[in-house]
Amino acid sequence: RDGDQFGVLSIDTRVGGWGSYDTKGACDEAKLAQMEETLRLLKSSDWQVRLQAIDRIVDFVQSNMEVARAQVQNLFDNLEPQLCDNNLKVNIRALEALQQLIPGLSGALDGVLLQLVPSLGNTVASTNRQVQQLGGAAMDLLFGCTEKGNMIVAMAAAISNGNQRVKALLLDKMAEVVHEVWVEKPQAVSKNVLPLAIRFVDDVKHDVRAANTRLLAALQSFMKDAFSSFLDTCAPDCRAKVQELLRNSAGTGRGNTRR
């Protein structure tokens, strides 16, 4: 019987069962080595080398999607710094490349959202118009290619940890997309967005408070009883402050407060 087992094994090898597995493994190892070599170039002090490395990464991912999806954490550990690269040409190319990569990696990106979204938040808050636009477009693309509940969690984290400009811009972005999330994942909104909005009611910066008021108004418009029920759990002074903000917002018109 042992001889039969060995015989079966040798037959599998001849017809390609085991042999093809070894070949695939060797091929994957070669691809991983190629990927690692290209990723190392992203750390070069020469901006032109970094720029060329981004192009090579895009070509590699699009030609080896299965490997790239399995290595998505490693990929973005290395690519993410270029999204805010000090060299404008590298910065812009990295944001363009991200838009090229996101659709093919859809479904594999949720685990890197907490890493990607804060970086994109910084680009949306950039003083460079082209960087702003590319960062915003990449954010929109991510929102359409990832699980919306995870995206909201990442946005909330980016708002909490961002600077004043990032906070204001992402609070406005949250106000734009939160209803779509509520339709699919109401728990994500109740757990992550509403508490965040309550926390920023007393923010010292006017633009942050204004953006947060727009978010509160958006939440109230579709959460209705759920919004009121949550407010009932807040401290009386906080509840009164939110109600006053919303009354004032309704009286002046939300559009008048938008920058």
Side-chain angles (χ1 to χ4, degrees):
R1 296 181 62 85
D2 289 343
D4 290 342
Q5 291 175 359
F6 281 111
V8 170
L9 178 59
S10 63
I11 292 172
D12 282 343
T13 301
R14 285 195 300 271
V15 299
W18 287 86
S20 61
Y21 176 82
D22 290 341
T23 301
K24 183 178 184 300
C27 180
D28 285 348
E29 287 182 9
K31 289 178 180 179
L32 286 174
Q34 179 187 351
M35 180 178 174
E36 288 295 339
E37 178 186 354
T38 307
L39 291 176
R40 279 195 294 272
L41 296 176
L42 291 172
K43 298 180 174 68
S44 172
S45 58
D46 187 333
W47 69 268
Q48 291 179 314
V49 173
R50 298 198 302 278
L51 192 66
Q52 293 168 1
I54 293 171
D55 289 334
R56 288 176 59 179
I57 284 293
V58 171
D59 290 342
F60 177 87
V61 171
Q62 292 178 338
S63 301
N64 302 280
M65 194 59 70
E66 184 179 351
V67 174
R69 290 173 68 87
Q71 292 289 316
V72 71
Q73 184 67 59
N74 185 29
L75 174 64
F76 284 103
D77 281 347
N78 288 275
L79 184 59
E80 180 266 333
Q82 275 59 62
L83 299 177
C84 299
D85 198 282
N86 290 330
N87 183 279
L88 182 59
K89 290 183 179 180
V90 176
N91 189 182
I92 288 172
R93 181 64 191 108
L95 289 167
E96 291 171 341
L98 183 60
Q99 292 184 60
Q100 293 177 269
L101 297 177
I102 288 173
L105 295 173
S106 177
L109 293 170
D110 289 85
V112 296
L113 288 178
L114 288 172
Q115 180 178 0
L116 274 181
V117 172
S119 291
L120 288 177
N122 288 329
T123 66
V124 171
S126 170
T127 56
N128 182 281
R129 183 66 175 169
Q130 188 174 5
V131 171
Q132 284 180 24
Q133 292 173 339
L134 288 170
M139 185 86 77
D140 290 341
L141 196 54
L142 262 186
F143 192 81
C145 292
T146 58
E147 203 279 323
K148 290 180 174 57
N150 292 336
M151 190 66 183
I152 281 293
V153 170
M155 289 180 69
I159 292 168
S160 296
N161 298 317
N163 60 34
Q164 175 188 347
R165 185 167 167 80
V166 169
K167 282 181 168 67
L169 289 168
L170 289 190
L171 283 166
D172 268 333
K173 186 64 180 177
M174 186 84 84
E176 292 176 13
V177 302
V178 69
H179 180 256
E180 186 177 345
V181 181
W182 173 259
V183 171
E184 294 187 16
K185 298 283 184 179
Q187 300 89 343
V189 175
S190 298
K191 183 178 178 180
N192 298 288
V193 183
L194 189 49
L196 177 81
I198 296 298
R199 184 162 20 115
F200 281 104
V201 164
D202 289 321
D203 196 90
V204 296
K205 301 297 184 180
H206 171 75
D207 56 345
V208 175
R209 289 199 312 274
N212 192 58
T213 299
R214 291 189 284 272
L215 175 58
L216 284 167
L219 290 167
Q220 183 190 45
S221 70
F222 58 78
M223 289 184 71
K224 302 192 181 299
D225 289 345
F227 185 90
S228 300
S229 297
F230 187 91
L231 273 191
D232 289 340
T233 68
C234 299
D237 59 336
C238 176
R239 182 165 62 249
K241 195 169 295 184
V242 171
Q243 291 168 339
E244 181 182 4
L245 284 171
L246 291 172
R247 280 196 301 270
N248 292 339
S249 174
T252 59
R254 291 172 59 195
N256 293 338
T257 62
R258 191 174 296 275
R259 287 166 287 108

